[in-house]
Amino acid sequence: MHKLIIIFIVCILTPDVFAQSGLPAITVENNADGGQSYSLSLQVLALMTGLTLLPGILLTMTSFTRIIIVLAILRQALGTAQTPSNQILLGLALFITFFVMTPVLTEVYEGSVTPYMSEEIDAQAAINNAVVPIKEFMIAQTRETDIALFADLSGIETIDKPEDVSLSILLPAFITSELKTAFQIGFILFIPFLIIDLVVASVLMSMGMMMLSPLIISLPFKLMLFVLVDGWSLVLGMLASSFYII
């Protein structure tokens, strides 16, 4: 399964790979009666099948999960309901994910795609080279306890070195670690806004204005605080840098 994932990554990084190699998308054959029959090549079929794995690749092998969860918690902490909208958050998370993953994708391209296109290595070697930087990124962001948990569930007692961790163990461990990290960051972001809500609620209670929702009063203060400290730059910069602090 992981080989199919890597093949798709290699293909998606080089959209002109098929054009340069002259790979026919459809084969036309002339029948004996003068008609024609069409057959879809297996390579294109594999590529189309790989497209169905794109959401899974994005969620399980990149920084997207941590980023989108933190942004969603930040919106909840601000109390702005659907502002920014889900589409804006998803677009922002995608571009930050691309920014974070650029060094990894560049290494995959230079170490796997370029030699394969130059016919310096075969397909199997290209796949093996592409797996290495992706696994290094995932291992760097994964807690050892999570790897040990899924290794134990798989019946593997010891793992000598990080390179020996298989993708079947690394993928669930990586997702678990990303969820933990995202909620930790979200908790820290929530604290200042929670303090503002508590202060406003206490003031309204002391004034006897119990029928007035504290959210109506606290929202402008939370927005003002977030803007004054340049919150978006701080949050996005912190998210991007969190993947390189080991």
Side-chain angles (χ1 to χ4, degrees), residues 40-143:
L40 189 67
S41 65
L42 293 178
Q43 291 88 345
V44 174
L45 180 61
L47 178 61
M48 297 302 295
T49 304
L51 288 175
T52 62
L53 300 175
L54 181 59
I57 294 173
L58 183 64
L59 293 175
T60 59
M61 301 178 68
T62 68
S63 57
F64 180 82
T65 300
R66 182 190 304 184
I67 295 171
I68 192 62
I69 290 177
V70 171
L71 292 179
I73 293 177
L74 174 62
R75 184 177 65 180
Q76 184 69 26
L78 285 171
T80 54
Q82 295 299 316
T83 304
S85 64
N86 292 333
Q87 291 83 354
I88 294 177
L89 289 186
L90 287 173
L92 183 60
L94 284 173
F95 282 108
I96 297 299
T97 299
F98 178 77
F99 172 79
V100 172
M101 298 299 297
T102 295
V104 179
L105 298 179
T106 301
E107 189 174 351
V108 170
Y109 182 82
E110 294 178 352
S112 178
V113 178
T114 301
Y116 178 73
M117 296 297 299
S118 302
E119 298 183 354
E120 299 176 2
I121 58 176
D122 57 12
Q124 183 63 44
I127 293 174
N128 294 334
N129 293 344
V131 170
V132 174
I134 297 175
K135 287 185 65 175
E136 288 179 352
F137 170 81
M138 296 173 65
I139 291 174
Q141 308 302 324
T142 306
R143 294 174 173 82

Side-chain angles (χ1 to χ4, degrees), residues 21 25 42 45 48 61 74 96 102-103 128-129 140-141 145 148 153 161 178 183-184 186 196 207 209 218 223 242:
S21 60
L42 293 178
L45 180 61
M48 297 302 295
M61 301 178 68
L74 174 62
I96 297 299
T102 295
N128 294 334
N129 293 344
Q141 308 302 324
T145 54
L153 294 175
K161 51 185 179 179
E178 287 295 282
F183 277 98
Q184 288 175 351
I196 294 177
M207 297 175 61
M209 305 174 65
S218 63
L223 292 178
S242 66

